[in-house]
Structure formats: C-alpha cells, structure tokens
Amino acid sequence: MPHTKQPAVLVLADGHVFYGQAFGKTGTTTGEICFNTGMTGYQEVFTDPSYTGQILIMNNVHIGNYGVKDSDVESNTVKIRGLIARNLEEQFSRIQANGDVDNYLKANNIVAIEGVDTRALVAHIRTKGAMNCIISSEITDVEQLKAELAKVPDMDGLELSSTVSTTEEYELGDAAAELKVAVLDLGVKKHILECLVQRGAHVRVHPAKTPLSRLKEFNPDGYFISNGPGDPAAMDYAITTVKDILEENKPVFGICLGHQLLALANNIPTFKMHHGHRGLNHPVKNIITGQCEITTQNHGFGVDPEAVRKHPDVEITHVNLNDESIEGIRLKHKPAFSVQYHPESTPGPHDSRYLFDNFVSMIREHKQ
Amino acid sequence: MPKDNSIKSVLIIGSGPIIIGQACEFDYSGSQAARSLREEGIKVILINSNPATIMTDPMMADKVYLLPLTVESIEQILQENQIDAVLPTMGGQTALNLSKEADELGIWEKYNVRMIGVDVAAIDTAEDREKFRQLMVKIGMAVAPSRVANSFLEGKEFAQEIGFPLVIRPSFTLGGTGGGFVHSKDDLDAALDRGLKASPIHEVLVEKAVLGWKEYELELLRDKNDNVVIICTVENLDPMGVHTGDSITVAPAMTLSDTAFQEMRNKAILMMRSLGNFAGGCNVQFAQNPETEELIAVEINPRVSRSSALASKATGYPIAKIAAKLAIGYSLDELKNQITMTTSAYFEPALDYVIVKMPRWNFDKFKGANDTLGLQMKSVGEVMAIGRSFTEAVQKACQSLENDAVGLGYYGKSLMKSDELMEYIKTPKWDRIFRIKDALMQGTTIKSIVQATGIDRWFIYQIQLICNMEKELATYSIDTIPADLLKDAKKNGFSDAQIAKILHGDCTDDQVYEKRKALGITRVYKMVDTCSAEFEAKTPYFYSTFEN
C-alpha cells in the first residue's frame, strides 16, 4: 500500500516543496521540470532523446497501467532524468507487455516520485515557467536538497545533442533502394527513421558532429535534420552543417530541433519558451492546404515569429491554433521545409504523417 | 469561411418522453444547442412533447411548442413560422425518425427548410446492420461475422452457419430493445421471435458474439472542412455483452497503450469519413480482443448521442454546443475552446482525473424482473464521479447511487461463500461489482475473477487495493488509526461513513470527520478544464478530492 512506501521529496528552484512516495530507483536526481499532458504513450515519452536533462511530470493520473513493451520505445534507454506522477502503477494488464513500470524505471536507474499533487504542480509551472528541480528518496533535508539543486546548470545555453547522438554511423532500410537519405542524428526518435524507411528510403544515420563532407560520401538524395534535446542556439557545429547542407540544393526536412536549426541557419533566432509545449493534443493549421492536424509536441525552445515573418526567403506553412506560434516553415528558393512538432507521432495522433510522404515526393521530383 | 448567414431561424426537435435509453441527456444537448444558436443571433423554435424539460423553459428558445412529436405538429409550426433550417440531431432517435418521416413526405422541401448537421444516408447506413457491415467490409474494417434475417427460418439457418454464442440484434430499435444473446440452440427460437417482433421492419441481425472482448467508445467531432477531433475515449469496465448504457464506464481509457489507441483513433476517423460528409458529432464503438489487440467495429452513431452528454461532462468540452455551431457552417479552428476562451476549439481534451460512470437500476421496484444485464438497456439513470484516481472515482460513484452503498462494499450484503460468489459474478448483474469486491475480501485471486468476468485485470487489481486498505483500516479504532492511513483512505475515496463502519469499536462518521479535520485532512477542489491545467480556465467546474 502507498502509505508503507518510502517518502520522497521534490524541491523546485523557486523553493517550492512537494511531497510524495518513492518509486523506481531510490536516489536523488536533478533536471529541468516539464509536463506532458498526453494520456497514452508514457514509455515512448520516457525513451524520447529530446527529454534528455529533463524531469517529467505526467499530468495523466495513472501511469503504468499497460506496463512496458520492448517495441514501444523511441531509443534504447530511458532518457528522462526523473519522473513525477500522481499514481504510478506496479500492476499492469496488457497481455503483450514485457514488464511493469516500476522495474523498468529501476533497471534504467530512474528516480521517480508518486502521490504528488501534480495538478497544483503543473499550475505552478504554467504560471512561473520552466525551472530546475530535484527529486530525492534518500535525502529528506530540504536545505541540503536546495544546495544540491543550486549546482545544476540552466537549460538555456546547454548543448545536449552530442550526448545522445549515435557514436557510430549505421544504415537502415533496403541498401538497393533508389532513395537515399542522410540523417543528422541530434537525438533522433526511432519511429522517425521507421517512417522514412517505410516509405522506401535507405537511410544512413550520422553522429551529431558529422560535417557535410562525410554526409556527402553516402551520396544522399535528401537530408534529414533530427529532433533532439537542449538549446539549438548553443549548437554552432550543427548550424554550420545545416548551412552547408542547404548549399547542396537537395531536399531537406527538419523536425523539432531540426526545424529550429533550419531557422538558425537562415539567421532566424530561437528563444527559450516560458514552459514549452508537450503533449499529444496541440492544434496546428496547415495554412497552405487549410487542413488542421492534432499534433504531438515536445519542445522548450521556439523560433522567433517576427523574424520568420520578416524573412524574405522563408514562408510560414503551419501555425499553432492556440498561441499562433510558428509550427512549420519552408524556404522559398530551396527544397527545404521543417516542422516544430512531431509528425511521426509516437506517441500521438497520426494526422501529420503526410509530411514524410511530402518529403519522399520532394526527393523523387528533385531527382528527375 | 465562417457561418452560413442564410440561416436566420432554426427548428430544434426534442426527444419527447423520458424512456430507458433516451433520457435527460437529450434535454441537455437540446438546451445547449438552443443557447449556442441564439448566441449567433439565430431565432430558435423548439418542439418537444415533454414539458418536464429544461429546453422547454421559455428562456431557452424564442418560441416553444409543446406538441406531440408528429409530422402534423411539424407542419403546423412551419405554417406559423418562417424557418430556414431544422437541426434534428439533438433529440436522439425520436427526433431523427420524425425528421426522416417529414423528409420522406416532402415536408421540408415544401416549406423550403434545410436539414442541417445530419446526413440522412449516413444515419440509414449506421442504423441498418447489413448496410453498416457492407460499408465496413468495403473500407477494410473488421466486424463480427453476421447475416441479416427477415424471417424465422432464415434466422435459424444463419444461426447454424455462424455458431453459438451469437447475438440477435433487431434493426431500427432503441436501446437494444428486443435484442439478446443466445448461448445455445435451446434459446434460439424464443430470441429470434422476440427480435423479429421488436423490429419495425421485421428484420434481425444474427451475429457472432465476441463475448469477453474489451469495449471502447470514441466521441468524435467533425466540421465541414473535414477536420476531425476525438473528444473523449471511454472504456467499458464490463466487457462486450453488456449494453453500454448498463456498463460501468471509465474515461479516459485506462488500459490502452498508445499503439492500440492510435489504431482505434485512425479507424474511428476512417469510419466516420466513409459514412458521409456531415458536420457534427459522431460516436464509434469498438471491441478489442485483449489477446491480440485486434479490433472490430461494433457500431457508429453519426449524431449527438447519449454518450456525447457523458463525454461533454467528463471532459468539459460542450459537444452539443459546438456541434450546433458546426451545423450552421463554422469550422472547428474558427471557434474557441469554451472553457479557456483563449485556445482553439480544434483540439483533443486532456484529462488529469478519472471519470467513472455507474448506472443506477431500479430492480427493487420491479420484483420478478430479469436482472441479468445484456443487450437491452435496463438502467433508469446513472451517476458520474470524478476522482484523482480510479479507486477514488469508483468509490465516489458508489456513494452517489442514492442507495445504501457508502462506498464499494457494504451494499446488498451477500451471505454467499466464495464458490457461490464465483458462480454469481459470471453473469453480469446490477450488483456484480459489489460481489467482486466481496469475493476479493474473501481471498479469491485476481486471476480467478478475471477469468470469471472477463473484466480487465487492471480494474480488478484496483478493487483489490480498496480491499487491502479496508482490511488495514479494520485493524484500527478511531483512536488508534494513523494519520497517514486515514489520509490514504480519503485519497482512495473512502467516505467518512464507510471508514466509521470499517474501524473496530463504536464510531460515527462525525467522529471520523472531526478526527481528520483535526489532522488537517480536508478536501481540496480541482477543476475540469479540458486541458490538464496547461492553460488557465475561465468557466470551469470543480470536483472535490484529497491531496498530500
């Protein structure tokens, strides 16, 4: 029963303290706090490399009900730094599952806290903005935790992609396929690669700091700039690579961090958002077709809307219907486009997968 | 493009008398629609034969007609008023049938009235089991094997072909009237006869029964530009075999992975699009085989339904109100979320609580009535409870039934032994959830209960948690109960009266209340805001709960 469990504490950088019970690994963890409003797909979220360095609040009140399954992952390890929830479930019912969330978190060394008034916590973050936090199930002295928390670096200006990118190149898909896509892995989600391969692409995935010269050796027909964690403005190496890629005049598609880098490569600045967009229900309108899409989102940085609007060579393709933020852009004179949200949508609604079709069509047309 | 300005006056048809399967839900949707249209400066004329409704309050519409729901009344209204359009989707099957009748007689055409928010062909396809089956086959959606029979002999022949257990579903009836399961050859004749007689066109569907599969319902909204959103996903605690109106249902879905849910979402959208091009609400039901996660389509209702009202209250998203605006030409991205007033109405609500709907039956007033639950709805009402966990919500639901249940347990106390209980819970009855709890209290394993009932293991485990806590509470008296345990009991939905009964020694609910008040264990109030606290809400409503 919950009350026999070990107590755990959550301390926010602004001094607020929340109490709960330990779950997952016993220990202490730090990171930037963020919340995800999705009601399904917790395992995909935990393993999404874009969450590197972050402590995640799941707003949905029951997490773990359907256990964990080996194929429902976006990378090989859990990437969140810690987990906060109202009710974490040890028991699950899905027959296809391979295990329960508690053991999964333990095996991945993830400290979690449950029993927290997550709604009050989310309302607090919504008002005060993203900030660092510390969770502990071994230290209960709040002052000591505050001292530990003070040592944690700010997410603003932090480069994290190179810590989660592949270290070795690898290839996926049919080597004889006529479409070849070079992927710049800045923390790519597994299902993005799958979406490309399913559409007949042969992809080679490259480490974050791979220069264009090496990407070109694959003789690609198109380039894909992946999602990933951290502050895009702190990634000079990637901005340079994207600029070089654009010089090639071959089709380019960017998702999330890749979208921000495409903007930066065109001298459009990015900024740290108040508390980001994370969930599976964000409304986006494609202003080219007039259709709307329910999208999966996970970003704490955005592109400067004014700079995009003023840019002579960049066109807005998608806008967010809630806050009018920029969700998609394309270059007017080059075959390059990008979206801020996640069209592979694992987890999330599949409304936006047509973007992968568009990318593949663009490559085919460009080849002719 | 915003609304259609050629519509200046709209006729809304109510659902008439309250009957099982069609109750105050349609009063709620009709009232919402009337308000929604009047907000747009549209004149609303309303007809309903039932004066005991909110919608017939003079405040609700510009003109209210308390007349029988007949074509003659419709014609009278059209003679007396200049009406541009009729909105027939807010009054359940009654209003739809009346609109269709008027349509067939050419009355709408005669008075130059457009039917809005509905596609008659879509309704026909959805209501006609054979047309529905053919459409599903065409779009590649699996359905349970079935044949349509128009005679007793045909029915028998098809039953032999399909095999038992099977379902008899009469065409064009409400709330599953006349339908039923047939487990063996002995029951077939009576079931066929009943089904054929219940159908106004003497037609039944003989269908393979997917007993034990999990049942889900999705509520969708679509606008004229074909933008679709899923407002709510409801999971039936009772597996296939119990009418949704008689099932304990839970929102959001508790036991679906994202892969399983997205498949359901994709298929629901595919089904809605294949049915026609109407703007408005739609409800899609699925059965899922828990062994393989294979899905079959159960039914689709291309209109605001009984479950839309529940989905609206469960999420805060006013389906009928928005559906009325879609019917007059708005698109979802042109409308605001009615709760936040700042974000878009084109979105899918996120819940940070659990909803449990529990039906209320009145079998005690109908001595001798068959209390086994099946395809025909028998409940006369329902309660909806909100909690920050399933355990809290299910206990609050039990406490709200207006019977002696003070929580899960202590109701209709049974003297059955565990083997008798195991036999009893195999058949769905009004008190099954209480008897499941009794069986768990007596030490029956979760596995055996899952086998006996087909209810998803996760729910049974949650009831086991309630039992464990009850057993722990029983080891204390009001003087010895630890504060942490008392707080956990409140977080898990135990009422003060329930705790007073469980604690040993004499104790009243007032004493429990005083004790927890002194310990600072008091209610907090949380909002239903459509968005899991992501945005500030302007017109929210609240529920009470307990937090740390």
Side-chain angles (χ1 to χ4, degrees):
Chain A
M1 295 306 293
H3 57 274
T4 57
K5 275 192 173 172
Q6 204 176 335
V9 194
L10 161 71
V11 181
L12 302 181
D14 68 359
H16 273 77
V17 182
F18 288 80
Y19 294 93
Q21 291 87 39
F23 200 84
K25 182 194 165 190
T26 301
T28 304
T29 188
T30 60
E32 188 188 57
I33 199 164
C34 65
F35 62 84
N36 186 307
T37 62
M39 297 187 287
T40 51
Y42 49 80
Q43 194 186 358
E44 291 91 328
V45 170
F46 297 168
T47 53
D48 177 350
S50 294
Y51 280 99
T52 302
Q54 291 183 307
I55 289 184
L56 176 70
I57 310 163
M58 290 303 278
N59 297 33
N60 185 19
V61 285
H62 285 288
I63 298 297
N65 310 7
Y66 57 86
V68 292
K69 186 171 178 240
D70 295 345
S71 57
D72 288 350
V73 293
E74 288 302 323
S75 69
N76 295 332
T77 55
V78 173
K79 294 297 192 296
I80 54 168
R81 282 267 278 275
L83 176 66
I84 303 164
R86 176 57 155 77
N87 311 295
L88 282 164
E89 302 299 329
E90 289 168 37
Q91 299 283 331
F92 64 91
S93 64
R94 191 185 191 192
I95 292 166
Q96 295 75 19
N98 304 105
D100 69 83
V101 159
D102 190 32
N103 280 310
Y104 184 68
L105 293 173
K106 281 183 180 128
N108 280 278
N109 291 317
I110 304 299
V111 177
I113 177 171
E114 69 153 339
V116 175
D117 183 350
T118 46
R119 190 174 164 88
L121 178 59
V122 169
H124 184 74
I125 303 299
R126 172 186 85 200
T127 316
K128 298 287 160 64
M131 60 183 88
N132 285 333
C133 73
I134 185 165
I135 305 173
S136 184
S137 45
E138 58 189 0
I139 307 165
T140 48
D141 177 17
V142 172
E143 290 313 312
Q144 194 186 337
L145 290 170
K146 280 181 182 169
E148 286 295 317
L149 182 54
K151 297 177 198 161
V152 181
D154 203 34
M155 184 65 84
D156 213 352
L158 214 58
E159 193 280 324
L160 293 169
S161 274
S162 56
T163 66
V164 287
S165 172
T166 181
T167 49
E168 303 285 333
E169 288 175 3
Y170 61 94
E171 293 181 20
L172 293 170
D174 178 6
E178 55 168 324
L179 302 179
K180 292 173 104 175
V181 177
V183 174
L184 189 63
D185 175 8
L186 307 168
V188 72
K189 287 173 72 183
K190 209 177 112 183
H191 282 93
I192 291 181
L193 300 174
E194 219 158 86
C195 281
L196 291 170
V197 170
Q198 275 166 4
R199 284 161 183 78
H202 173 214
V203 303
R204 188 162 85 182
V205 187
H206 303 81
K209 293 189 173 168
T210 309
L212 175 69
S213 55
R214 173 64 192 155
L215 297 174
K216 274 175 80 172
E217 283 171 31
F218 183 55
N219 199 19
D221 305 305
Y223 294 87
F224 178 79
I225 319 298
S226 89
N227 64 298
D231 184 348
M235 299 173 68
D236 289 339
Y237 66 90
I239 299 169
T240 304
T241 313
V242 175
K243 278 183 179 167
D244 292 344
I245 287 173
L246 289 173
E247 291 302 311
E248 294 293 299
N249 275 316
K250 285 197 171 164
V252 180
F253 180 23
I255 289 179
C256 205
L257 181 67
H259 163 77
Q260 294 157 3
L261 289 168
L262 184 65
L264 286 164
N266 284 282
N267 301 312
I268 295 166
T270 54
F271 67 97
K272 175 123 175 66
M273 296 165 80
H274 185 260
H275 57 269
H277 291 161
R278 291 173 191 87
L280 316 179
N281 66 346
H282 295 266
V284 167
K285 184 166 186 170
N286 179 329
I287 55 177
I288 309 294
T289 65
Q291 284 304 118
C292 299
E293 318 159 23
I294 297 293
T295 67
T296 299
Q297 303 217 355
N298 170 23
H299 63 112
F301 291 86
V303 301
D304 182 348
E306 280 315 301
V308 177
R309 287 194 183 96
K310 276 190 241 157
H311 201 293
D313 303 323
V314 177
E315 192 179 3
I316 298 169
T317 55
H318 297 78
V319 289
N320 186 305
L321 288 168
N322 280 343
D323 59 10
E324 291 169 355
S325 59
I326 307 294
E327 294 289 358
I329 56 170
R330 69 182 179 196
L331 303 192
K332 287 178 184 167
H333 310 296
K334 284 182 193 292
F337 70 104
S338 62
V339 285
Q340 181 60 75
Y341 53 96
H342 281 267
E344 80 288 354
S345 51
T346 40
H350 298 173
D351 296 4
S352 313
R353 287 198 173 164
Y354 71 93
L355 288 165
F356 290 99
D357 299 329
N358 290 2
F359 181 46
V360 167
S361 306
M362 185 187 253
I363 295 174
R364 287 220 165 90
E365 279 162 32
H366 203 265
K367 274 187 87 167
Q368 283 168 5
Chain B
M1 200 190 70
K3 73 168 194 196
D4 180 345
N5 285 317
S6 69
I7 300 173
K8 297 200 165 45
S9 58
V10 171
L11 172 67
I12 295 178
I13 306 176
S15 67
I18 285 179
I19 52 174
I20 288 177
Q22 191 169 284
C24 53
E25 295 89 349
F26 294 109
D27 188 20
Y28 172 81
S29 53
S31 308
Q32 272 201 2
R35 259 193 209 146
S36 177
L37 295 177
R38 292 183 86 195
E39 252 174 37
E40 300 296 329
I42 289 171
K43 193 175 167 190
V44 172
I45 293 98
L46 197 144
I47 175 172
N48 197 349
S49 61
N50 182 358
T53 50
I54 306 292
M55 64 158 78
T56 51
D57 189 294
M59 301 290 287
M60 279 293 159
D62 294 279
K63 208 165 177 183
V64 175
Y65 283 89
L66 281 169
L67 288 174
L69 292 169
T70 60
V71 177
E72 290 72 33
S73 309
I74 298 285
E75 196 149 18
Q76 180 197 333
I77 295 170
L78 299 182
Q79 278 164 0
E80 290 172 14
N81 301 274
Q82 169 56 45
I83 288 172
D84 299 316
V86 55
L87 183 62
T89 51
M90 301 293 164
Q93 200 65 46
T94 305
L96 275 170
N97 287 345
L98 179 57
S99 304
K100 277 170 62 184
E101 200 185 332
D103 191 45
E104 281 154 20
L105 294 169
I107 289 172
W108 303 128
E109 204 185 341
K110 182 175 162 194
Y111 291 91
N112 207 14
V113 177
R114 284 158 56 192
M115 277 171 105
I116 55 170
V118 70
D119 180 338
V120 173
I123 300 271
D124 283 346
T125 307
E127 285 293 319
D128 183 320
R129 303 295 312 189
E130 182 55 20
K131 279 190 190 165
F132 168 72
R133 194 187 65 82
Q134 281 171 5
L135 178 69
M136 291 304 103
V137 169
K138 198 175 126 197
I139 63 169
M141 182 68 219
V143 284
S146 66
R147 297 286 301 266
V148 171
N150 291 96
S151 74
F152 189 78
L153 276 178
E154 258 187 358
K156 286 197 67 139
E157 189 189 323
F158 298 155
Q160 264 190 343
E161 191 182 301
I162 288 163
F164 299 101
L166 50 81
V167 196
I168 305 289
R169 294 179 193 273
S171 295
F172 292 98
T173 63
L174 185 74
T177 309
F181 285 98
V182 185
H183 294 274
S184 71
K185 214 172 161 183
D186 303 340
D187 311 327
L188 182 63
D189 292 7
L192 263 178
D193 192 49
R194 196 171 55 237
L196 286 165
K197 280 186 180 146
S199 168
I201 59 165
H202 203 70
E203 180 183 284
V204 294
L205 187 81
V206 182
E207 186 183 83
K208 178 96 190 151
V210 284
L211 293 172
W213 287 32
K214 287 158 62 167
E215 189 171 2
Y216 295 90
E217 267 188 276
L218 272 63
E219 289 294 320
L220 291 77
L221 267 182
R222 176 170 64 174
D223 66 22
K224 62 167 196 274
N225 296 335
D226 205 19
N227 294 313
V228 184
V229 285
I230 312 295
I231 302 302
C232 190
T233 307
V234 178
E235 176 163 0
N236 287 12
L237 184 136
D238 296 293
M240 285 293 286
V242 179
H243 190 282
T244 312
D246 276 353
S247 287
I248 296 169
T249 60
V250 186
M254 287 287 124
T255 67
L256 277 184
S257 69
D258 188 65
T259 43
F261 171 63
Q262 296 307 335
E263 195 189 343
M264 224 175 256
R265 185 183 182 278
N266 290 345
K267 289 191 164 155
I269 295 172
L270 175 73
M271 284 166 66
M272 187 185 191
R273 286 185 172 148
S274 72
L275 200 57
N277 210 9
F278 56 96
C282 182
N283 156 281
V284 184
Q285 291 173 30
F286 292 104
Q288 189 213 43
N289 182 347
E291 304 283 335
T292 58
E293 298 194 343
E294 165 197 0
L295 283 184
I296 62 169
V298 176
E299 63 179 71
I300 181 164
N301 294 300
R303 58 181 169 89
V304 172
S305 63
R306 189 181 51 251
S307 38
S308 320
L310 180 79
S312 291
K313 284 175 252 179
T315 60
Y317 194 108
I319 294 175
K321 184 175 181 180
I322 299 293
K325 295 215 194 289
L326 300 181
I328 55 165
Y330 280 106
S331 60
L332 283 162
D333 55 303
E334 288 168 340
L335 299 168
K336 286 285 173 219
N337 175 336
Q338 301 293 304
I339 298 286
T340 64
M341 297 310 286
T342 54
T343 57
S344 177
Y346 175 79
F347 82 112
E348 301 191 342
L351 278 54
D352 59 359
Y353 48 82
V354 179
I355 295 285
V356 172
K357 176 212 86 173
M358 205 175 271
R360 172 74 156 92
W361 294 272
N362 261 359
F363 290 118
D364 46 345
K365 288 189 181 164
F366 299 100
K367 294 279 182 238
N370 179 358
D371 65 350
T372 295
L373 307 176
L375 288 182
Q376 185 172 349
M377 183 170 161
K378 293 179 177 177
S379 66
V380 293
E382 64 192 30
V383 298
M384 186 187 96
I386 314 181
R388 288 272 291 161
S389 63
F390 173 77
T391 46
E392 184 187 19
V394 78
Q395 296 237 62
K396 281 170 90 171
C398 293
Q399 287 146 14
S400 310
L401 286 169
E402 289 190 355
N403 54 28
D404 299 329
V406 290
L408 189 51
Y410 298 95
Y411 184 55
K413 193 112 184 140
S414 90
L415 299 168
M416 283 185 266
K417 294 198 177 66
S418 64
D419 50 342
E420 289 170 287
L421 279 169
M422 282 305 293
E423 201 49 43
Y424 186 82
I425 60 173
K426 282 182 183 164
T427 311
K429 287 187 190 287
W430 66 275
D431 61 344
R432 176 153 82 167
I433 193 160
F434 296 98
R435 300 292 84 84
I436 288 171
K437 194 232 166 197
D438 290 346
L440 287 169
M441 286 301 278
Q442 291 183 15
T444 306
T445 63
I446 292 175
K447 198 177 167 188
S448 321
I449 290 178
V450 169
Q451 270 169 359
T453 61
I455 296 173
D456 186 279
R457 183 178 185 281
W458 189 81
F459 293 112
I460 307 297
Y461 175 70
Q462 295 294 317
I463 298 172
Q464 176 79 64
L465 288 181
I466 293 172
C467 295
N468 294 351
M469 185 158 275
E470 179 167 335
K471 283 180 181 166
E472 193 169 356
L473 284 167
T475 63
Y476 296 98
S477 70
I478 186 73
D479 300 318
T480 59
I481 182 172
D484 277 354
L485 177 61
L486 186 54
K487 190 202 276 171
D488 270 341
K490 294 308 291 181
K491 282 175 81 173
N492 283 286
F494 283 82
S495 67
D496 291 347
Q498 195 178 357
I499 295 169
K501 273 190 175 184
I502 296 166
L503 292 174
H504 67 69
D506 279 342
C507 172
T508 64
D509 49 347
D510 285 344
Q511 280 173 291
V512 176
Y513 174 72
E514 291 304 330
K515 170 112 185 179
R516 68 173 172 82
K517 215 172 88 177
L519 291 167
I521 305 167
T522 50
R523 276 169 214 288
V524 294
Y525 292 85
K526 299 286 185 192
M527 283 180 195
V528 171
D529 65 356
T530 73
C531 61
S532 279
E534 184 174 7
F535 306 102
E536 203 180 320
K538 300 286 192 301
T539 56
Y541 52 100
F542 294 82
Y543 61 95
S544 76
T545 184
F546 290 84
E547 292 282 3
N548 275 352

